[in-house]
């Protein structure tokens, strides 16, 4: 039998291990006042453990070329409507310099999945140059898909220290339903890359695509337990938003429900993993203008402002209505800082803002 909500929440705050699959599924299904209560508790945990601080990670979407064909994604290989680009180094470095000058402390390089020697070399030299001009100060997170252990090792030697690779779903059968059935899209390969990252000493982030067809609360609860058991240092996860040029274009979609799901997942993740970094992702902002602030108030502590030049943004639409199409990095920085301060949080400037969980894991 499931005890009442306040008992579940009290026990979760006392001991995150009290959160069983059933309890998490119950919390994920909350709506209205009860959901607000749960999110408030998660926010209190964030404030108590990590402080009233939000870290910015400027993100540069360095290429939208991708060898994959994920059914949900707007830049999948078979979408011929997309203009494909690879940023020249000076544009990537301009984004990095902006992040550094703005005191962001850390940045993210993201792209579609490109597995080639040329790309590996390119990223390696970019990381080296960013480290060099910032005197090693700017932290670098990579989010460049599945790669071999050798490639990961080269990028780590160059100076990157965190890697984000979403598992999307921890259920291999569901994974098979949202990806083509071929050797390029196997759950086993995704797991092998995640394992390689952890073995390679990276601060490792993963996450979930929330609310795609076939997924339910029980499955999402298992996803959160999977992330805990995998011992992730960071989570980046966001609600699924259909894109019209993909096989999932006609999937059922209710923006209000997707927002509720996204916020509940953040809150449950925080209750379950008090010390990790959790991003309030852009997909929340796509659903509602104050989506990212609501993510913070549900327990997230990271925001990833887009630093890509405006001319590329229309070509990096993973989902419909991705925001800030016409904004540039400068204008969005000030607006974002104001809105973060308006909810009583401060900006963690000029420090990497590493996951507390990672540091505690290193000590062990
Ligand atoms: N809706 C929301 N998120 C998406 N992503 C890809 N397509 C979509 C979509 N339609 C996310 C995936 C991927 C990340 C880079 O973007 O989770 O890991
Ligand atoms: Fe490529 Fe990532 Fe999109 Fe899949 S989700 S098609 S790997 S960019």
């Amino acid at each position: 039998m499931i005890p009442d909500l306040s008992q579940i929440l009290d026990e979760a705050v006392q001991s995150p291990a009290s959160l069983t699959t059933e309890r998490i599924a119950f919390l994920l299904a909350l709506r209205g006042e009860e959901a607000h209560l749960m999110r408030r508790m998660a926010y209190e945990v964030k404030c108590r453990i990590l402080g009233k601080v939000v870290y910015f990670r400027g993100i540069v979407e360095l290429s939208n070329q991708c060898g994959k064909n994920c059914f949900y994604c707007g830049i999948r290989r078979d979408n011929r409507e997309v203009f494909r680009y690879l940023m020249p180094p000076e544009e990537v470095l301009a984004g990095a310099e902006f992040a550094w000058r703005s005191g962001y402390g850390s940045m993210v390089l993201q792209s579609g999945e490109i597995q080639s020697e040329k790309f590996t070399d390119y990223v390696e030299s970019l990381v080296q140059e960013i480290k060099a001009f910032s005197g090693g100060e700017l932290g670098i997170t990579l989010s460049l898909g599945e790669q071999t252990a050798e490639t990961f090792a080269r990028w780590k030697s160059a100076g990157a220290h965190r890697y984000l690779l979403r598992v999307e779903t921890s259920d291999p059968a569901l994974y098979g339903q949202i990806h083509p059935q071929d050797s390029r899209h196997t759950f086993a390969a995704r797991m092998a890359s995640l394992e390689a990252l952890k073995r390679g000493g990276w601060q490792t982030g993963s996450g979930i695509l929330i609310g795609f067809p076939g997924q339910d609360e029980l499955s999402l609860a298992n996803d959160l337990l999977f992330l805990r058991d995998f011992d992730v240092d960071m989570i980046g996860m966001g609600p699924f938003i259909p894109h019209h040029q993909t096989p999932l274009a006609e999937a059922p979609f209710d923006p209000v429900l997707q927002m509720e799901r996204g916020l509940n997942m953040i809150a449950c993740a925080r209750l379950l993993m008090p010390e990790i970094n959790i991003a309030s992702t852009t997909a929340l902002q796509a659903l509602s203008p104050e989506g990212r602030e609501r993510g913070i108030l549900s327990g997230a502590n990271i925001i990833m402002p887009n630093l890509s030049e405006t001319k590329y943004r229309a070509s990096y639409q993973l989902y419909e209505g991705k925001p800030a199409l016409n904004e540039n990095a400068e204008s969005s920085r000030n607006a974002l800082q104001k809105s973060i301060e308006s909810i009583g949080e401060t900006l963690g400037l000029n420090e990497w803002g590493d996951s507390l969980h990672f540091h505690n894991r290193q000590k062990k």
Side-chain angles (χ1 to χ4, degrees), residues 72-74 110 143 166 168 190 208-209 238-243 283 316 318-320:
Y72 42 86
C73 179
Q110 191 179 67
S143 176
R166 294 187 181 178
E168 316 294 358
R190 177 64 51 116
I208 301 301
L209 187 61
F240 162 68
I241 301 169
H243 186 291
Y316 207 85
L318 307 180
Y319 45 84
E320 216 81 43

Side-chain angles (χ1 to χ4, degrees), residues 123-197:
V123 171
E124 185 177 46
S125 65
L126 286 173
V127 171
Q128 284 164 344
E129 285 178 55
I130 293 169
K131 280 286 161 188
F133 86 71
S134 69
E137 282 182 13
L138 193 61
I140 303 176
T141 304
L142 301 180
S143 176
L144 307 170
E146 293 168 24
Q147 302 288 345
T148 62
E150 293 70 41
T151 298
F152 289 143
R154 279 180 56 192
W155 291 344
K156 186 142 189 300
S157 305
H161 78 295
R162 308 186 185 111
Y163 205 100
L164 297 171
L165 182 62
R166 294 187 181 178
V167 69
E168 316 294 358
T169 169
S170 62
D171 177 339
L174 274 183
Y175 192 92
Q177 286 171 29
I178 56 171
H179 297 100
Q181 299 290 324
D182 61 29
S183 58
R184 190 78 206 255
H185 299 81
T186 70
F187 184 76
R190 177 64 51 116
M191 285 308 302
S193 276
L194 280 167
E195 297 284 356
L197 288 167

